[in-house]
Amino acid sequence: MSKKKPVVALAATLLAVAPISAHADAAKDVQIAGRALTFLENGPTGKAVLGVVFDPSKPASVAEKNAVMAAIGGGLNTGTLTLTAKPVEAGAVSGVSGVAALYVTTGVNAGPVGAAAKAKKIITIGSDASCAASGACVMSVSADPKVEIIVNRGAAAAVGAVFKSAFRMMIREV
């Protein structure tokens, strides 16, 4: 019986830490997202704000938001673009302003967020491929296990996003 206690304690510790490490590659994903924005025709240059959309009731979403905010810090240089970030609660997307794009964290109900962003012609980027596959996000980015960028053609067209041809050769479109 005493051998089970360490195993149970380890399992409990891993479960407790899981939301914190739910998205360990947020820094890499944000770097990829920033670079992808530089491939937009008439895209942002100089300083631009990335709204980080999160659901405060979902620990994994909050953890990813915190990781993204930390990765960007006071400014993240990605080529011709310097990103700063501001947190945006999922329910407040329809009122957001002053952002070049929205980064949708894992666990956010992306459907309403995507609809609100489309109405405002704001590009949405998610770290979850299902966000782009469903059309709720214009693109999804992931650095693990390899760099993968998925762009949803319909969602991109809905917000007026046109990517340079060199970029379109490096992505998967759905």
Side-chain angles (χ1 to χ4, degrees):
M1 198 71 143
S2 64
K3 288 184 179 182
K4 288 184 181 179
K5 284 184 181 180
V7 172
V8 171
L10 177 61
T13 301
L14 290 175
L15 287 174
V17 174
I20 295 169
S21 63
H23 201 80
D25 290 327
K28 290 179 184 176
D29 289 351
V30 170
Q31 185 75 32
I32 293 166
R35 284 297 224 184
L37 290 173
T38 67
F39 283 95
L40 280 167
E41 295 285 346
N42 302 312
T45 58
K47 290 187 178 184
V49 178
L50 181 67
V52 183
V53 181
F54 71 103
D55 183 338
S57 71
K58 307 262 174 85
S61 177
V62 172
E64 187 177 358
K65 182 253 317 170
N66 291 340
V68 169
M69 297 294 290
I72 293 174
L76 177 69
N77 292 322
T78 59
T80 60
L81 187 61
T82 300
L83 289 176
T84 58
K86 76 176 187 179
V88 178
E89 287 194 25
V93 170
S94 62
V96 74
S97 64
V99 298
L102 294 171
Y103 186 93
V104 182
T105 60
T106 303
V108 168
N109 184 352
V113 168
K118 284 176 188 169
K120 296 181 81 72
K121 303 290 185 197
I122 299 174
I123 293 173
T124 46
I125 305 167
S127 60
D128 185 352
S130 67
C131 194
S134 71
C137 289
V138 171
M139 94 175 79
S140 68
V141 297
S142 177
D144 190 31
K146 64 178 184 161
V147 173
E148 180 179 39
I149 302 170
I150 301 170
V151 173
N152 184 293
R153 286 185 206 115
V159 298
V162 177
F163 292 96
K164 296 175 183 173
S165 59
F167 181 71
R168 294 182 72 201
M169 293 176 3
M170 298 182 287
I171 63 170
R172 182 166 58 107
E173 290 184 285
V174 293

